[in-house]
Amino acid sequence: MRITILTLFPEMFTGLVENSIIKRAIAKGVAEVKLVQIRDYTKDKYNRTDTPPVGGGAGLIQKCQPIVDAIRDNSTPTTHKIMMSARGRTYNQSVAKEYSKMDDLLIVCGHYEGIDERVNSYVDELVSIGDYILTGGEIPAMGIADSIIRLLDGAIASESLEDETFNDNTVEYPQYTEPYDFEGQTVPDILYSGNHTAIDKWRRKQSLLLTKKHRPDLFEKLSLSKQDLKLLAEDPDVTPKWEQEAMEKGHKFIKNK
């Protein structure tokens, strides 16, 4: 997959393309990230890419010509072109999965006070990462590129993607590693039981409870199964029978933790 990013500040993306998972994905040929300096396309004799808004107002507005020429020079008829905008559809994991199935994505990063309205007609859609203001579209573009590339085949182990937050409108269950006891906080014994069916059941229950508590907006979207409803109905102050039985059968593993 190729991701082309049009920006006035390509140096901001150094950390994205030269570190960890993204760097390895690029090295393996799983993804290509192309950074394009919008200023290289300006025809302004002073090398400007922005001017004051027509009609007055604060700040500077990015001009049409450099961005449109950069789009034309770095896209094909099959390129999906998006631009970061507060009025765009909200980016989420479902959109990340949608984009990860594409071969060619182009992202336009705005900066300063905004972009000339007419540029909108040269992209396929507007995208927002949330209801807050940043100084430019570079940080949102980094987030989008990162979230897409990690989903591509060969970027990371497929099993690492299976139980992630937002995969089914739930947040992820609690994760633990050694030591068993850290300053009085212990790893739940069920995770040492060796009973993977019970562990999966416990994780599902925790995921549902955490989603209900921290993201009620997501919880309302869930289609709960009969087992989900049964898990949610369990007394929070009593260890359920299925969990107790799993720990009793796995006593030797728990004892040796």
Side-chain angles (χ1 to χ4, degrees):
M1 178 184 191
R2 181 175 75 165
I3 300 176
T4 302
I5 300 172
L6 309 188
T7 173
L8 289 169
F9 302 96
E11 65 277 3
M12 289 181 65
F13 293 85
T14 300
L16 174 73
V17 300
E18 293 188 0
N19 286 285
S20 188
I21 291 170
I22 308 304
K23 181 179 181 179
R24 292 197 299 271
I26 293 171
K28 291 164 66 175
V30 171
E32 174 190 353
V33 177
K34 181 181 180 182
L35 301 173
V36 176
Q37 170 58 266
I38 295 172
R39 197 174 301 279
D40 290 345
Y41 289 86
T42 185
K43 295 178 180 177
D44 185 277
K45 65 179 180 180
Y46 298 109
N47 207 36
R48 294 177 301 189
T49 61
D50 50 74
T51 53
V54 176
L60 297 169
I61 305 300
Q62 286 187 253
K63 299 164 71 174
C64 289
Q65 177 272 314
I67 297 175
V68 172
D69 283 356
I71 291 173
R72 286 173 170 159
D73 196 39
N74 292 278
S75 63
T76 70
T78 60
T79 301
H80 188 70
K81 302 175 289 292
I82 69 173
M83 184 162 67
M84 309 314 305
S85 171
R87 75 176 75 160
R89 71 160 165 166
T90 303
Y91 189 77
N92 57 30
Q93 189 66 10
S94 294
V95 183
K97 290 178 179 178
E98 176 187 328
Y99 287 171
S100 72
K101 295 177 173 62
M102 298 177 178
D103 294 323
D104 195 1
L105 180 72
L106 182 144
I107 307 173
V108 179
C109 300
H111 216 82
Y112 307 121
E113 186 63 25
I115 295 177
D116 190 301
E117 179 73 14
R118 293 166 290 184
V119 174
N120 292 359
S121 63
Y122 294 89
V123 299
D124 297 305
E125 66 173 325
L126 305 177
V127 177
S128 169
I129 63 164
D131 297 337
Y132 51 91
I133 306 301
L134 296 172
T135 55
E138 284 75 19
I139 291 175
M142 289 181 210
I144 289 175
D146 184 289
S147 66
I148 294 169
I149 292 172
R150 64 187 304 281
L151 292 173
L152 301 177
D153 289 342
I156 61 177
S158 59
E159 57 267 24
S160 296
L161 303 174
E162 291 176 359
D163 295 321
E164 292 188 314
T165 292
F166 305 129
N167 270 0
D168 63 348
N169 279 327
T170 60
V171 299
E172 192 175 12
Y173 50 77
Q175 296 275 26
Y176 299 88
T177 188
E178 300 297 338
Y180 168 71
D181 188 326
F182 179 76
E183 296 186 350
Q185 298 188 71
T186 58
V187 177
D189 284 344
I190 185 65
L191 299 178
Y192 288 97
S193 69
N195 187 326
H196 295 290
T197 298
I199 290 172
D200 288 343
K201 194 172 181 179
W202 180 88
R203 285 174 168 169
R204 176 62 179 174
K205 179 180 177 179
Q206 298 307 310
S207 178
L208 291 170
L209 291 172
L210 289 172
T211 303
K212 185 177 182 180
K213 178 180 179 180
H214 296 287
R215 292 297 305 271
D217 56 319
L218 294 179
F219 188 80
E220 290 178 1
K221 299 177 183 179
L222 293 178
S223 296
L224 299 173
S225 66
K226 290 183 179 180
Q227 178 169 282
D228 290 339
L229 293 171
K230 190 173 181 180
L231 289 173
L232 289 169
E234 291 176 346
D235 187 336
D237 298 319
V238 177
T239 302
K241 183 178 179 181
W242 60 266
E243 185 176 341
Q244 187 63 46
E245 289 177 349
M247 289 190 292
E248 288 174 357
K249 291 179 180 178
H251 178 69
K252 63 179 180 180
F253 300 110
I254 296 171
K255 186 177 179 180
N256 294 326
K257 61 184 177 283

